[in-house]
Amino acid sequence: MVWWWWIAPAIVAVAGLALLFRGLAALFRGRFVGGLAGGVCGGALIAAALIAGLIGLDVQTYDRLTYERPVATIETRQLGPQYFEATVMQPGHGESAPGTSNLYPLHGDEWRLEAQLLKWKPWANVLGLDTQYRLDRLSGRYRSVDQEINATRSVHPLAGGDALPGLPWKISAWDTARKHRRYVDAVDTLYGGGAYMPMADGARYEVWLTQSGLVARPVNEAARAASAGGWTEVD
């Protein structure tokens, strides 16, 4: 939250109220010119503070509803035809939960990262509650449905996210929402979500958590070339 969006209008509003009351007091004493001037200036300051406060609320709402945070960075290295090695790097959460980096062999054309998600309602986002996640698995994915059914599969369990040890308040929020969902009006839904992208030699992607789910973005030329134009086949 940008606190000055609220502090500055509050100061202006207090000054406006002070001028308004002084103007009203002057009117009661018969000082009509000074009273009217004070009342007009006070009213104008209050109106300006109200407008600034509304702008601040709009900025905070936009900032909260579009808030994103990093989940993982994934790098892929090709070892053979439709066979890759994926490096998954997770950000740290302070000294109690340092960042991690692990290697996973993947068969297929694309990697897929899946997680369990706890999504709050928009008004709860505005008040400061962010979507929470628990990483679930990393798998390889074939573009061809026939290969997906018959070819070699690869899937690896993942751990990490807001349920990491050392973050008891987040664990409590997650578990409370799951156990008492019907009584917690701030919870929108608990669901499983995922993101997948094409694998390529030397490709690097970042996975982010938005207030509505996971999103993956290419961050180097190899990844951008692999994902250019979506997954349209190019001869």
Side-chain angles (χ1 to χ4, degrees):
M1 181 186 297
V2 184
W3 289 104
W4 63 267
W5 275 105
W6 303 106
I7 295 175
I11 294 173
V12 173
V14 170
L17 284 172
L19 283 175
L20 181 61
F21 287 136
R22 287 185 62 182
L24 292 175
L27 285 174
F28 282 117
R29 296 192 189 100
R31 298 165 55 187
F32 296 105
V33 176
L36 287 173
V40 170
C41 290
L45 286 177
I46 293 172
L50 179 61
I51 293 172
L54 291 174
I55 293 174
L57 178 62
D58 186 60
V59 170
Q60 179 190 348
T61 300
Y62 177 80
D63 181 68
R64 295 299 306 139
L65 294 180
T66 58
Y67 174 74
E68 297 182 2
R69 55 192 173 116
V71 169
T73 298
I74 298 178
E75 295 181 351
T76 57
R77 183 169 68 93
Q78 189 161 13
L79 303 178
Q82 293 184 303
Y83 184 47
F84 294 81
E85 180 182 73
T87 302
V88 179
M89 294 163 281
Q90 296 185 50
H93 297 271
E95 295 182 0
S96 60
T100 63
S101 178
N102 294 286
L103 298 176
Y104 302 95
L106 295 177
H107 295 272
D109 304 300
E110 299 149 358
W111 59 260
R112 177 177 174 84
L113 185 73
E114 298 177 57
Q116 301 170 16
L117 303 171
L118 188 160
K119 183 179 182 298
W120 304 99
K121 292 184 178 179
W123 64 263
N125 292 146
V126 173
L127 293 179
L129 294 178
D130 297 319
T131 295
Q132 294 186 310
Y133 74 99
R134 288 177 173 177
L135 291 183
D136 184 40
R137 66 184 65 185
L138 175 73
S139 59
R141 184 177 186 276
Y142 293 94
R143 291 196 184 103
S144 166
V145 175
D146 183 66
Q147 280 191 295
E148 190 72 17
I149 296 172
N150 299 299
T152 303
R153 299 293 307 280
S154 51
V155 59
H156 307 280
L158 293 179
D162 293 318
L164 285 172
L167 301 174
W169 70 271
K170 289 190 175 182
I171 294 175
S172 176
W174 181 287
D175 292 340
T176 299
R178 289 186 66 89
K179 294 177 182 178
H180 308 288
R181 180 181 173 187
R182 68 179 65 183
Y183 307 110
V184 183
D185 186 59
V187 176
D188 184 358
T189 183
L190 291 158
Y191 69 105
Y196 64 89
M197 278 287 199
M199 290 190 287
D201 190 40
R204 182 183 178 95
Y205 297 92
E206 289 181 351
V207 182
W208 293 74
L209 179 68
T210 71
Q211 301 290 28
S212 58
L214 297 177
V215 60
R217 298 186 178 98
V219 293
N220 68 357
E221 191 57 39
R224 283 188 287 269
S227 59
W231 287 265
T232 302
E233 294 292 340
V234 178
D235 295 328

